[in-house]
Amino acid sequence: MYDSIVIGAGIAGSTAARQLAEKGNRKVLVIEKRDHIGGNCYDRLDEYGILVHEYGPHIFHTDMEDVFSYLSRFTEWNLYENGHQVVADVNGKLIPVPFNLNTLHMVYDKDLADTLEKKLLDCYGKGSRVAIMELRKNPDLQIQAIAQYVYENVFLKYTMKQWGQTPEEISPEVTGRVPVLVSYDNRYFQDKYQGVPLYGFTAMFERMLDHENITVLTGTDAAGLLEFKDTNAEIWFKGRKFEGSVIYTGELDQLYGLKYGRLPYRSLRFDFEHLDQEDFQNGHSVVNYTVSEDFTRITEFQYLTGQKDASGTTIVREYPFAYSGAEGEIPYYAIMNPENETLYQKYKKLAEHYPNLHLLGRLAEYRYYNIDAMTKKALELAETLL
Ligand code: FAD
Ligand code: UDP
């Protein structure tokens, strides 16, 4: 029998399972409803032999030494020498995103750009990171003009596509992820470590879950094996009360049959295309379409993964839409706002009745976590359980 059950084999579940199994010598059952491990980080070779990220481009980036060294036990890395760089297609012209001093000099003529640069430096200081919604509040008219340019050409349309709402309507935390940089830094992230596992994410997950104390069941919905008995807050597994810890990384509303209504999410459709040509984006791994098109961005995988041995190139376009819960749809992004948070808290209260249930992950916690933050959170949870 098992000491612990982990529901979901994404980075949250896999990290927690490994720690419980290895450090705590617990027998752990990991239940995953998809037919593969890795959650949204999953990658695979497509029919042309090109390594693609099935659920959108994933770049590991972190400043946390402990997280980096922990995951480095399971993989070597292809660390990007110049960081992960993204450009936005603004009416056919490619500009660096986040908007930074290089971008400033590309969109304004030299004299004006010099003046504006000085103003930004005087006002915010060299190297600072200013959220677009903050920049817009600056009383200086020239800084306001930059903010307006960035708002209109980088954020407005992209955010409308991604969230179905304007930047004002969504949580400032979300647009704050891509601040204006008062530096000549074209990197999308400012973290010390950025890159991808050398042999892919899936290979890294395979090694994480490869432990004598771990059993993985893929293609299995936990709903079919576990019963949550609300009246006495007991979790039953295969017809018996289960007393060990249960870590749940799925959608919280699903645990309770959507009792209070559905937690809202945004979903994505990924349209993959293989092209019989060497290059599609002139070396750019990701191009954001910030003023045109229905898709948000195009990723060209060979430049994300560094793969050199395939012929042709594979790209993916991302089309956001509102998650409806229909068969096959995946909830990717929690829509963080006060109303949804209240609904989430109602479900969380129910979960708190169960002494051995632990919520972990982007879905179960209804939060916007990157891979590194998720790993850290899972390591911490495992620590408290041991
Ligand atoms: P998931 O990866 O979603 O794993 C949860 C797992 O639980 C899933 O496999 C699901 O099938 C399973 N599950 C749910 N319910 C059940 C059930 N009832 N029974 C059995 N199994 C169940 N982060 C970065 O750091 N860098 C990036 O570049 C980046 N890019 C991203 C791009 C996109 C398009 C998206 C959507 C996210 C991106 N992220 C990125 C975030 C990253 O995907 C998450 O931080 C990470 O996947 C969260 O891991 P998780 O384990 O919480 O969730
Ligand atoms: N964003 C934008 N234009 C861009 C990049 C980002 O408007 O070119 C906004 C958009 O609202 C997006 C948010 O900033 O959802 C956060 O972007 P990030 O790249 O962090 O999102 P991720 O793809 O990692 O979820």
Side-chain angles (χ1 to χ4, degrees), residues 7-13 31-34 38-41 55-61 189 220-223 248-251 268 270 297 318 332-333 360-363 369-372 374:
I7 301 163
I11 191 71
I31 307 171
E32 168 55 60
K33 71 177 169 192
R34 299 183 196 177
N40 290 336
C41 298
Y55 307 100
H58 279 71
I59 300 101
F60 175 71
H61 55 101
F189 312 113
T220 309
D221 194 320
Y248 182 69
T249 74
E251 294 149 90
L268 294 168
F270 296 103
R297 58 185 174 185
E318 293 174 49
Y332 288 109
Y333 295 98
L360 180 72
R362 226 154 101 121
L363 295 169
Y369 282 114
N370 290 327
I371 299 167
D372 64 334
M374 207 61 268

Side-chain angles (χ1 to χ4, degrees), residues 172-210:
E173 192 187 314
V174 176
T175 47
R177 287 167 58 89
V178 188
V180 168
L181 302 179
V182 187
S183 57
Y184 288 93
D185 185 352
N186 282 346
R187 296 172 308 162
Y188 201 66
F189 312 113
Q190 275 62 56
D191 298 304
K192 176 169 173 191
Y193 301 106
Q194 19 191 317
V196 285
L198 192 56
Y199 305 107
F201 280 99
T202 304
M204 179 182 87
F205 280 90
E206 276 164 4
R207 289 185 63 184
M208 291 178 84
L209 292 170
D210 180 15

Side-chain angles (χ1 to χ4, degrees), residues 134-378:
E134 284 305 310
L135 195 70
R136 293 190 89 201
K137 291 185 196 149
N138 193 300
D140 184 283
L141 291 179
Q142 280 188 310
I143 293 188
Q144 268 183 29
I146 306 173
Q148 192 57 22
Y149 176 90
V150 177
Y151 178 82
E152 280 172 10
N153 291 287
V154 179
F155 284 95
L156 182 57
K157 180 96 202 269
Y158 188 102
T159 299
M160 285 303 298
K161 286 187 274 189
Q162 180 78 350
W163 298 98
Q165 290 182 301
T166 64
E168 288 81 355
E169 289 167 324
I170 65 172
S171 163
E173 192 187 314
V174 176
T175 47
R177 287 167 58 89
V178 188
V180 168
L181 302 179
V182 187
S183 57
Y184 288 93
D185 185 352
N186 282 346
R187 296 172 308 162
Y188 201 66
F189 312 113
Q190 275 62 56
D191 298 304
K192 176 169 173 191
Y193 301 106
Q194 19 191 317
V196 285
L198 192 56
Y199 305 107
F201 280 99
T202 304
M204 179 182 87
F205 280 90
E206 276 164 4
R207 289 185 63 184
M208 291 178 84
L209 292 170
D210 180 15
H211 190 278
E212 56 185 5
N213 286 337
I214 300 179
T215 306
V216 182
L217 273 184
T218 50
T220 309
D221 194 320
L225 295 178
L226 293 170
E227 252 185 289
F228 287 80
K229 297 192 185 277
D230 241 358
T231 41
N232 47 6
E234 286 176 358
I235 303 173
W236 283 48
F237 174 60
K238 289 190 168 171
R240 273 168 139 189
K241 185 176 168 189
F242 184 77
E243 313 246 23
S245 43
V246 175
I247 297 178
Y248 182 69
T249 74
E251 294 149 90
L252 191 51
D253 52 4
Q254 296 289 333
L255 270 190
Y256 304 105
L258 309 177
K259 175 170 173 152
Y260 301 130
R262 197 180 278 291
L263 279 166
Y265 288 92
R266 294 293 286 175
S267 190
L268 294 168
R269 190 183 87 227
F270 296 103
D271 279 6
F272 288 84
E273 190 180 355
H274 181 79
L275 303 159
D276 196 11
Q277 60 197 55
E278 293 226 323
D279 164 88
F280 178 71
Q281 294 191 149
N282 201 17
H284 297 289
S285 58
V286 177
V287 179
N288 287 0
Y289 285 78
T290 54
V291 296
S292 60
E293 313 302 339
D294 293 335
F295 49 85
T296 49
R297 58 185 174 185
I298 301 182
T299 298
E300 186 166 3
F301 287 103
Q302 60 171 323
Y303 301 125
L304 201 74
T305 62
Q307 186 176 1
K308 303 247 179 329
D309 64 352
S311 71
T313 190
T314 300
I315 61 171
V316 68
R317 295 181 174 81
E318 293 174 49
Y319 293 87
F321 63 94
Y323 174 68
S324 75
E327 184 74 26
E329 277 183 10
I330 295 179
Y332 288 109
Y333 295 98
I335 305 174
M336 294 178 299
N337 61 36
E339 190 188 337
N340 297 347
E341 180 60 22
T342 305
L343 179 58
Y344 173 74
Q345 288 301 333
K346 276 174 82 173
Y347 280 116
K348 194 167 168 225
K349 268 220 167 78
L350 290 182
E352 280 163 1
H353 291 153
Y354 295 81
N356 56 338
L357 176 62
H358 305 277
L359 305 178
L360 180 72
R362 226 154 101 121
L363 295 169
E365 296 183 63
Y366 204 67
R367 290 265 322 263
Y368 208 129
Y369 282 114
N370 290 327
I371 299 167
D372 64 334
M374 207 61 268
T375 309
K376 179 84 180 171
K377 202 77 207 297

